[in-house]
Amino acid sequence: MKRIGILTSGGDCPGLNCVIRAVVSHAILTYNWEVVGIPYATQGLQQRQTIPLSIHGWNLRGIDPLLNMGGTILGSINEGDTLAAAGEILSGYEALGLDALIAVGGDGSLKIIHELATMGNWHLVGIPKTIDNDVALTERSIGFDTAVNTIVDAINRLTFTAASHDRVMIVEVMGRTAGHLALHSGIAGGADVILIPEIPYTIQGICDHLKELRDTWKRKFAIVVVAEGATLCSEDLNNGHRVTVENIPDANIGSAKCGRGQYVAAQISNFAHGFDTRVSVLGHIQRGGIPSALDRLVATAFGKTAVDLVAQGKNHQMLAWQNGKVTSIPIESSLNQSPQLVDPKSDLVEIAHALGIYVGLTEKMTKVLV
Ligand code: F6P
């Protein structure tokens, strides 16, 4: 009989409780192991704390809340210098008598936990989660699908008010340095402009597109999706000068202080008269909510397979979603790579261009100008 621990680390997202549910059910029903939750990720190990977990944690009416509850019942942390407390964390792991640890996290937290696991010779299985979907070598991370659905829902709502008042609605979305959230939700939500970190944009490019929509196509409103890390070209397209890509100085990726939506709105108003802009920063709403069916399925498949990997003695593995199904890869092969970004030559970008969405400078334009 084994005693295994599970923790959730980094920013929360919908689907974390589904993984916990799958791990607990499979470990107990199939292998008859004991599963304990570690509260607040490595902090729980450091403080030698556990939360007992059992199957059928039903509420009074017999409903299992873990399946459709957002957040994480174990709590999480995404700040602080974890490695500074490595000694206490390693001795905490020993003291808790764990045979293996299943860690659910994004690339940042999985990297730290993997380092600890190597130092302490732990049996570690990692499960990728993040609404940003930027963990390398997995097509899906838990939480991404729900966040895309949340943004699409917001775009739907904003479309009707935009159309009623002939406005340009700017929707700022999360994603850090990756544009997956913006690109997926922008296409699915019917956006007219999608600005992502991987493809630089110009204000003139946006305004030309908005004018064309208004003057040629008689569209009186528009939806502009701006990723929090969207990249601006410092000079505009028509001036013939060299174009350099730079970040907007006042914007702060990775916190609620992001200002790129506001920046784009102000620039559109300055640059082209007659556009009435409004900004919605979706912020942490994107991290909340009931997990989508797809996130539940992925989380359940990851949780079940993680337990099997522990049973098979496979160490330092990470679950990944590849070609529509769950597989496992050495955790290092993912963590040694940079975050997975949108490929400007990908099918989705091509689809966006084909649909007449302004997605920033095309490869051809960038080559001419840079
Ligand atoms: O990585 C997930 C994420 O939601 C990013 O998209 C966002 O930039 C960041 O976390 C926000 O982090 P915090 O919860 O610390 O504000």
Side-chain angles (χ1 to χ4, degrees):
M1 184 177 164
K2 283 185 194 294
R3 176 174 158 91
I4 62 170
I6 177 164
L7 60 78
T8 50
S9 188
D12 76 315
C13 63
L16 295 175
N17 291 322
C18 299
V19 188
I20 298 168
R21 175 179 180 266
V23 165
V24 171
S25 304
H26 191 41
I28 295 176
L29 290 174
T30 311
Y31 296 104
N32 195 27
W33 294 342
E34 183 190 358
V35 186
V36 290
I38 314 289
Y40 300 107
T42 48
Q43 219 172 74
L45 290 174
Q46 189 183 347
Q47 295 168 4
R48 301 168 185 216
Q49 288 172 343
T50 56
I51 298 172
L53 296 170
S54 60
I55 51 168
H56 303 324
W58 297 333
N59 69 10
L60 285 179
R61 303 297 307 166
I63 295 167
D64 186 346
L66 289 187
L67 197 55
N68 55 18
M69 204 167 92
T72 163
I73 55 161
L74 300 177
S76 189
I77 50 164
N78 64 352
E79 276 166 7
D81 187 1
T82 305
L83 290 175
E88 289 168 64
I89 295 170
L90 295 177
S91 58
Y93 183 92
E94 288 300 317
L96 293 180
L98 299 177
D99 295 303
L101 179 69
I102 295 177
V104 192
D107 58 353
S109 35
L110 286 180
K111 225 173 241 166
I112 292 168
I113 294 169
H114 178 239
E115 237 175 276
L116 289 164
T118 309
M119 288 186 230
N121 202 18
W122 304 348
H123 188 161
L124 174 73
V125 177
I127 296 184
K129 67 86 221 169
T130 166
I131 65 164
D132 304 341
N133 211 35
D134 60 353
V135 177
L137 301 182
T138 179
E139 288 154 20
R140 295 203 159 271
S141 287
I142 296 164
F144 175 64
D145 184 64
T146 310
V148 169
N149 283 314
T150 303
I151 300 169
V152 170
D153 179 58
I155 295 174
N156 286 342
R157 290 162 195 260
L158 289 166
T159 298
F160 290 99
T161 169
S164 304
H165 291 275
D166 301 346
R167 281 176 174 155
V168 176
M169 283 291 180
I170 318 281
V171 191
E172 184 183 297
V173 304
M174 283 185 168
R176 240 179 252 268
T177 55
H180 304 290
L181 276 177
L183 188 62
H184 281 72
S185 61
I187 293 175
D192 303 293
V193 173
I194 303 173
L195 308 179
I196 60 175
E198 297 85 345
I199 308 179
Y201 68 90
T202 62
I203 296 298
Q204 176 153 3
I206 301 172
C207 291
D208 286 350
H209 186 64
L210 294 178
K211 279 184 193 154
E212 193 190 348
L213 278 178
R214 182 186 62 189
D215 302 339
T216 310
W217 299 101
K218 310 296 171 211
R219 262 281 298 285
K220 293 182 175 171
F221 75 95
I223 302 288
V224 177
V225 175
V226 182
E228 62 180 357
T231 308
L232 174 76
C233 272
S234 63
E235 294 171 51
D236 43 79
L237 264 178
N238 292 337
N239 63 12
H241 292 307
R242 216 177 130 77
V243 172
T244 52
V245 174
E246 65 176 24
N247 288 334
I248 304 164
D250 63 349
N252 183 356
I253 303 179
S255 86
K257 282 177 267 161
C258 284
R260 292 186 188 192
Q262 209 70 49
Y263 175 86
V264 168
Q267 294 301 311
I268 292 174
S269 309
N270 285 344
F271 206 85
H273 292 295
F275 287 119
D276 186 17
T277 58
R278 291 291 187 277
V279 184
S280 297
V281 180
L282 298 189
H284 291 78
I285 287 173
Q286 295 158 96
R287 293 239 297 257
I290 296 175
S292 68
L294 182 54
D295 268 334
R296 294 182 201 199
L297 280 171
V298 173
T300 304
F302 279 176
K304 182 260 177 200
T305 313
V307 171
D308 288 337
L309 289 174
V310 173
Q312 292 155 13
K314 291 197 177 152
N315 200 357
H316 295 287
Q317 295 287 300
M318 186 188 91
L319 276 305
W321 195 261
Q322 292 177 351
N323 303 317
K325 58 182 189 178
V326 63
T327 183
S328 73
I329 56 175
I331 196 164
E332 271 186 331
S333 62
S334 167
L335 301 181
N336 284 343
Q337 297 200 18
S338 321
Q340 178 169 270
L341 303 179
V342 170
D343 175 1
K345 295 190 206 97
S346 66
D347 290 354
L348 269 192
V349 174
E350 195 189 318
I351 289 168
H353 283 305
L355 261 72
I357 301 170
Y358 176 82
V359 211
L361 302 180
T362 60
E363 202 201 350
K364 210 168 112 201
M365 286 163 135
T366 316
K367 269 196 191 138
V368 171
L369 289 160
V370 177

